[in-house]
Amino acid sequence: MPKKIIYIDDDIEMIYLIKMILERKGYEIISINDGLESVEIIKKEQPDLVMLDLMMPNIDGWDIYHQLKSNEITSEIPVIIISAKAQPIDKVLGLQIAKVNNYISKPFRPQELIDSIENILNN
């Protein structure tokens, strides 16, 4: 059974690219381009992993992350942040303070994303 990943991003082209990369690797990808509905979809789908952009209209990616981590149904689901916020302080805040499972800066190499996902899902 393929691992299920939910990817939340308002950039339709980025969703298409990531979906193409990961489906070729055998993952089931559910894409969401509206952060407002994402938490309810995640509760329903119970994915193996969530990938999340930070800068989106209507709701900030950090708000989604905190909602996931504060809900007992979704709190154990690993999260990878994929963001154009690429300053070292952004990564420190994500990895050290918020405790995300990984923080990948856009643009990234496809293999970097695949390695991160495989590392999280296989541990």
Side-chain angles (χ1 to χ4, degrees), residues 3 7 14 19 21 27-28 38 45 47 57 65 68-69 74-75 79-82 89-90 94 105 108 115 122:
K3 297 283 188 175
Y7 179 45
M14 183 62 76
K19 194 169 178 136
I21 291 167
Y27 294 106
E28 176 187 346
S38 61
E45 293 291 334
Y65 177 77
L68 293 175
K69 292 304 172 182
T74 57
S75 65
V79 176
I80 296 175
I81 299 295
I82 300 176
I89 188 67
D90 296 314
S105 301
F108 56 86
D115 290 347
N122 294 329

Side-chain angles (χ1 to χ4, degrees), residues 23-121:
E23 283 178 344
R24 285 183 181 167
K25 287 292 190 178
Y27 294 106
E28 176 187 346
I29 307 300
I30 298 170
S31 57
I32 304 171
N33 66 350
D34 181 355
L36 292 175
E37 63 187 30
S38 61
V39 174
E40 290 307 313
I41 294 171
I42 292 166
K43 285 180 194 175
K44 181 179 150 241
E45 293 291 334
Q46 287 296 296
D48 297 291
L49 175 70
V50 170
M51 299 186 313
L52 175 62
D53 183 29
L54 293 179
M55 297 182 291
M56 294 183 290
N58 303 322
I59 187 168
D60 181 78
W62 284 123
D63 291 336
I64 296 168
Y65 177 77
H66 291 298
Q67 287 180 42
L68 293 175
K69 292 304 172 182
S70 65
N71 186 302
E72 66 182 38
I73 297 170
T74 57
S75 65
E76 297 299 316
I77 299 171
V79 176
I80 296 175
I81 299 295
I82 300 176
S83 180
K85 294 180 91 172
Q87 296 299 315
I89 188 67
D90 296 314
K91 282 191 169 190
V92 168
L93 289 172
L95 293 168
Q96 305 288 326
I97 308 299
K99 305 289 188 207
V100 298
N101 295 83
N102 202 357
Y103 191 113
I104 298 175
S105 301
K106 294 177 187 174
F108 56 86
R109 294 179 342 277
Q111 193 60 47
E112 177 184 8
L113 177 64
I114 292 165
D115 290 347
S116 178
I117 291 168
E118 290 177 352
N119 184 46
I120 291 168
L121 294 179

